[in-house]
Amino acid sequence: TSWLILGSDERDGTTGQDGTTGERTDTILVLTKPKNGPSSLISIPRDSLVEVDGALSKINAVLGLYGRKPLVAKVEDITGQKIDHVAKINFGGLTTIVDALGGVELCYDQDVDDEKSEMHWTAGCHVVDGKQALAFSRMRYSDPQGDFGRAQRQRQVIGAIAKKAASPSTLLDLPKLTRVGDAAMAAISVDEKATPATMARMLLAFRDASGAGGITGTVYWTDPGYYVDGVGSSVLLDDARNTELFAQLVDGTRKAGVVGTQAEQQG
């Protein structure tokens, strides 16, 4: 089963003020749970270059310009695999989920004082509240890796939420579980085919993908600064390697670990 996870970058007063207006798919993740083998959570850079109706654009603009179906179609083109479910997470709602959980532990190895995202961080691991988790997932201007570093931290936030939500301390505490469920229902919208059981499987797949036995990372690209007139600096994806990667993820034949061009560059 595969899920396309979209993080809404709609500026509603809850996501920090950086001058951006309108809606963007600030986060694009593909969560895959094979019948056998490790679950995976893979980021698609929001500046990935795609073509829709003969026009080139960055993938994060496709939702606003063309709608959800064309965006799903582009992700299916990139991965070579069918997307079964779509979930959209409102960034503002992230704060209430984390607060309902009583905070989550996040790690980052640099000091940060970033006014645009409102992230103020001392290097190391800290248990943070919803506001701090939101800033952690949005900061990019003070990150040497820019959007790529932000995608890495966003996966960490989602993994931390899933791990704590699926822990006995949450599942066996009915009032807490109810608060988390209510917060999640308010923050996450899903496709019409999704059921409560679907949501539960998605949560467990998130947890498994983010753990030691899971697979995380990014898609592969050939040029992270590919310039196109009228579009700007874009990420040119490696179609052949991405098709091969997702075929392995769906078959469950890819070994656990971190994948993608970013992982290779850091290694």
Side-chain angles (χ1 to χ4, degrees):
T1 306
S2 62
W3 292 264
L4 173 60
I5 313 298
L6 305 175
S8 171
D9 197 21
E10 187 175 3
R11 297 319 201 255
D12 58 2
T14 64
T15 60
Q17 303 303 316
D18 64 1
T20 303
T21 58
E23 184 178 20
R24 290 289 189 272
T25 42
D26 199 50
T27 304
I28 303 174
L29 298 165
V30 179
L31 175 66
T32 304
K33 182 174 180 56
K35 290 183 178 180
N36 297 290
S39 295
S40 61
L41 183 63
I42 308 298
S43 298
I44 297 177
R46 67 177 200 161
D47 289 341
S48 298
L49 186 66
V50 295
E51 182 177 342
V52 182
D53 292 340
L56 294 174
S57 72
K58 298 178 183 181
I59 196 169
N60 75 319
V62 173
L63 181 64
L65 291 175
Y66 302 99
R68 179 172 293 191
K69 286 186 177 181
L71 176 59
V72 173
K74 287 296 100 182
V75 173
E76 290 179 336
D77 286 345
I78 291 169
T79 63
Q81 302 293 330
K82 184 180 183 300
I83 295 296
D84 297 304
H85 298 287
V86 180
K88 182 179 174 185
I89 303 174
N90 180 280
F91 269 104
L94 183 71
T95 62
T96 59
I97 298 175
V98 173
D99 288 339
L101 287 167
V104 295
E105 184 178 53
L106 302 174
C107 301
Y108 190 61
D109 60 1
Q110 298 184 45
D111 292 342
V112 177
D113 190 16
D114 186 84
E115 293 300 328
K116 289 187 176 182
S117 67
E118 301 178 4
M119 178 177 171
H120 306 287
W121 191 268
T122 302
C125 297
H126 307 282
V127 175
V128 303
D129 62 13
K131 182 179 179 181
Q132 293 169 311
L134 180 63
F136 186 91
S137 68
R138 286 188 45 76
M139 188 274 290
R140 64 185 172 116
Y141 291 103
S142 298
D143 192 319
Q145 298 183 72
D147 278 327
F148 302 121
R150 176 169 63 171
Q152 200 170 40
R153 281 179 282 104
Q154 288 170 341
R155 294 195 303 273
Q156 184 184 160
V157 170
I158 292 176
I161 291 173
K163 180 180 179 181
K164 192 161 187 181
S167 68
S169 65
T170 300
L171 297 177
L172 299 178
D173 184 337
L174 186 56
K176 183 178 182 179
L177 183 61
T178 301
R179 291 194 301 272
V180 173
D182 290 344
M185 291 299 292
I188 302 173
S189 60
V190 295
D191 61 273
E192 63 277 3
K193 295 184 294 181
T195 65
T198 304
M199 295 291 288
R201 287 194 294 270
M202 183 177 76
L203 173 66
L204 294 176
F206 266 131
R207 182 199 63 184
D208 294 344
S210 303
I215 300 171
T216 62
T218 66
V219 292
Y220 290 97
W221 60 77
T222 57
D223 188 345
Y226 186 76
Y227 187 83
V228 178
D229 289 338
V231 177
S233 182
S234 307
V235 179
L236 190 62
L237 300 181
D238 189 331
D239 295 334
R241 293 193 74 184
N242 289 327
T243 299
E244 179 184 8
L245 169 65
F246 279 92
Q248 294 171 349
L249 297 178
V250 168
D251 289 342
T253 56
R254 188 82 182 204
K255 293 182 179 179
V258 184
V259 301
T261 299
Q262 184 180 9
E264 292 181 355
Q265 291 176 344
Q266 292 175 339

